[in-house]
Amino acid sequence: MKTDDTTEDTENTYRAAQPEEDQAAQPEEDRAAQPEEERAGAPGTAGSPPPPEDARARRHDLTAAALAVLLVTAAILIGRYVQNRTGTLQVQWPPLLASWDPHLGPGTPAALTLAVLVIAYGPPLAARLPWRGLLAAAWAGSTAWVFSMALIDGWYRGVERRLTTKHEYLRVIDRFDDIPATLRDFTNHIVIGEPGNWPAHVAGHPPGATLTFVWLDRIGLGGGAWAAVWCVVVGSSAVLAALITVRVLADERLARHAAPFLALAPAAVWAGVSADGYFAAVAAWSVALLALAATRRVRFPAAAAVGGGVLFGWTCYLSYGLGLMAAVLLAVLVLARTARPVVPFLLGALVVPAAFTLVGFHWWTAYHLLVERYYQGAGGVRPYAYWVWANLACAVLAAGLAAVAGVRRSASYAPGAVRTLRAGTAAPAQRLALLVLAALVALLAADLSGMSKAETERIWQPFLLWLLPAAALLPARTARYWLVASVVPALLINHLLWTGW
């Protein structure tokens, strides 16, 4: 993978962060990526001045954002009515699993300061920094953002205690003294009513999730604080995986434009601290390694493909629903127009399932028992008719309005993107749009399954991550406005609600 920028790349990405009226020309491939109605009258020669951006496209972006706000509003009002009347939603502040609790905390000044700094200086810095410097800054910024949001609830309540509550993984560490024996017996404790049934999160996931914390404990990093640090630091590296993937599948300019939106992801409210942020990072690195292998942007593509496969196998043993990430992985191969990495990727993907199966844990058996357990609890009470659309309102809050507008643009690019991809002439923006839409397909499949009723603001982090780069499709001069539109609701949620789980 290339790690240093050429002078020309740096200049191009710097122009991308400037107001469009200051740019001398718009790249021809960017105009080609726009829907026909958005580039009417676009000159056919690369050297001719670009037309002004169609005001209709901007209105469509704002309309999409307004409709998303209406969706959230409807989910709140209808949700409160249903919950107050029947109590079947099983959440106190629908559509979020949260309760009303206005508060400030030690993370408040840090979160506000970081938000202001990234909004003010993030877009131009993302354009100017060397690529390696941008990756380091994005990871550091994302980590600081998640920690500061968690610390709004205080160190003990917001960080140290999060993974030690009665539903969490750390409550069963002492039951894994003999790991092989525990794995062989794991499925006997999933269903409620069985002796020693697992806590909700342990029962609701394959044992890879719990084993992560067991191994941390074995190397001397036991307890809630170390588990939280692991989830935040590793989870924040998902930003790097997303940036690398966008760079190799689309182009560096779009990756740089996406960086501030990834660093200030609204999902930080739930990533700090939950294991789902860690799951998102493992899945993201699987995608990134496959993208590097497919585009041959690394010295040893086959090794990258095997590594991506191993991580995908591990992803499936962290969460049953993350097999749906196969949609994003398939999109990587389609965008790279190659099947070369498939065999090494599949060989790598078999490693983890083979190891667990040989020890005595059977994934499919456990999954069917999980479905039974799910409907024994809140999943059997929560109404599908509400959550099938209210889940999407949760996704809006966790992804932000910038992602909503970006997804709108992705959908508008899709028809042209499919045509040009077949011809091998797809523009970077078109390729990014297809990657985003693949993640949206995975998210919608999870929604329609009925196995994700509520809590999707947290559970869907692995899918939501890939919607955030869609913000790079928005006009560069509006980046700060869209950052504000995404960050302010996240700060309000974190300060006005207690988002326990």
Side-chain angles (χ1 to χ4, degrees):
M1 181 183 66
K2 295 181 180 178
T3 54
D4 295 321
D5 307 315
T6 63
T7 302
E8 181 180 358
D9 286 341
T10 303
E11 290 175 353
N12 287 342
T13 54
Y14 176 71
R15 282 203 307 272
Q18 305 307 304
E20 294 181 7
E21 61 267 22
D22 293 342
Q23 298 180 25
Q26 181 184 16
E28 183 69 21
E29 66 266 22
D30 287 354
R31 292 199 299 275
Q34 295 175 338
E36 188 76 21
E37 69 272 17
E38 292 186 20
R39 52 189 177 91
T45 58
S48 54
E53 186 191 15
D54 193 346
R56 181 168 57 181
R58 295 196 296 271
R59 288 198 300 272
H60 289 171
D61 294 337
L62 294 174
T63 299
L67 290 174
V69 172
L70 287 176
L71 176 67
V72 172
T73 303
I76 293 171
L77 297 179
I78 296 174
R80 289 183 68 84
Y81 173 78
V82 173
Q83 178 64 15
N84 290 338
R85 185 180 179 186
T86 68
T88 56
L89 299 188
Q90 300 284 295
V91 294
Q92 295 183 36
W93 211 89
L96 300 177
L97 183 66
S99 56
W100 182 255
D101 180 26
H103 62 284
L104 301 175
T108 298
L112 294 175
T113 301
L114 190 61
V116 170
L117 289 176
V118 174
I119 291 168
Y121 302 106
L125 276 178
R128 292 183 177 126
L129 286 173
W131 178 248
R132 287 181 178 178
L134 175 62
L135 293 180
W139 190 6
S142 177
T143 302
W145 176 239
V146 175
F147 265 126
S148 65
M149 295 291 269
L151 287 170
I152 291 171
D153 299 325
W155 171 259
Y156 177 70
R157 190 171 76 148
V159 178
E160 185 178 3
R161 183 176 175 270
R162 280 287 194 175
L163 297 174
T164 64
T165 62
K166 65 179 182 178
H167 301 299
E168 288 287 356
Y169 309 96
L170 270 65
R171 297 298 287 255
V172 300
I173 297 297
D174 57 348
R175 292 173 62 178
F176 279 76
D177 289 338
D178 185 342
I179 291 176
T182 303
L183 292 179
R184 286 192 295 272
D185 193 45
F186 191 88
T187 55
N188 293 327
H189 306 286
I190 293 176
V191 177
I192 293 175
E194 295 292 339
N197 64 84
W198 299 116
H201 285 184
V202 178
H205 295 80
T210 307
L211 278 177
T212 299
F213 302 106
V214 171
W215 289 329
L216 284 175
D217 184 74
R218 294 283 175 88
I219 64 173
L221 301 179
W226 282 116
V229 169
W230 168 268
C231 289
V232 172
V233 174
V234 175
S236 296
S237 75
V239 170
L240 307 185
L243 289 174
I244 291 168
T245 303
V246 172
R247 188 195 194 206
V248 299
L249 292 180
D251 69 2
E252 187 172 311
R253 181 180 64 84
L254 288 170
R256 289 176 175 272
H257 191 18
F261 295 95
L262 285 161
L264 286 188
V269 175
W270 299 276
V273 175
S274 76
D276 296 271
Y278 157 54
F279 303 164
V282 177
W285 280 110
S286 174
V287 174
L289 287 174
L290 180 62
L292 289 169
T295 57
R296 305 188 73 79
R297 297 288 291 273
V298 285
R299 183 172 299 178
F300 302 107
V306 171
V310 171
L311 289 180
F312 180 61
W314 183 243
T315 297
C316 293
Y317 280 74
L318 292 174
S319 175
Y320 293 104
L322 291 186
L324 292 172
M325 284 298 297
V328 182
L329 294 165
L330 179 61
V332 169
L333 296 174
V334 171
L335 292 170
R337 304 182 73 213
T338 183
R340 187 181 289 114
V342 170
V343 171
F345 182 89
L346 291 178
L347 289 174
L350 290 174
V351 172
V352 173
F356 274 96
T357 303
L358 287 173
V359 170
F361 172 79
H362 300 285
W363 193 96
W364 278 109
T365 300
Y367 174 72
H368 289 298
L369 290 170
L370 162 68
V371 174
E372 183 179 347
R373 166 73 179 256
Y374 182 72
Y375 284 98
Q376 284 180 318
V381 178
R382 289 169 172 162
Y384 182 86
Y386 172 80
W387 287 111
V388 72
W389 59 271
N391 280 340
L392 302 180
C394 297
V396 167
L397 293 171
L401 293 180
V404 170
V407 169
R408 199 284 308 170
R409 291 211 173 209
S410 297
S412 71
Y413 292 173
V418 172
R419 289 194 301 269
T420 56
L421 187 65
R422 289 176 178 173
T425 59
Q430 292 175 314
R431 294 195 292 271
L432 175 57
L434 291 178
L435 181 68
V436 168
L437 293 176
L440 181 63
V441 167
L443 184 150
L444 293 175
D447 187 34
L448 294 173
S449 74
M451 291 295 292
S452 298
K453 289 182 285 189
E455 305 180 56
T456 51
E457 63 274 13
R458 172 181 57 83
I459 298 170
W460 285 354
Q461 287 182 61
F463 308 130
L464 295 171
L465 171 73
W466 296 100
L467 304 186
L468 299 177
L473 301 175
L474 300 170
R477 67 177 179 179
T478 65
R480 290 187 178 94
Y481 301 115
W482 286 112
L483 282 168
V484 169
S486 295
V487 169
V488 169
L491 288 168
L492 289 174
I493 289 170
N494 218 141
H495 283 91
L496 295 178
L497 301 177
W498 162 242
T499 54
W501 44 83

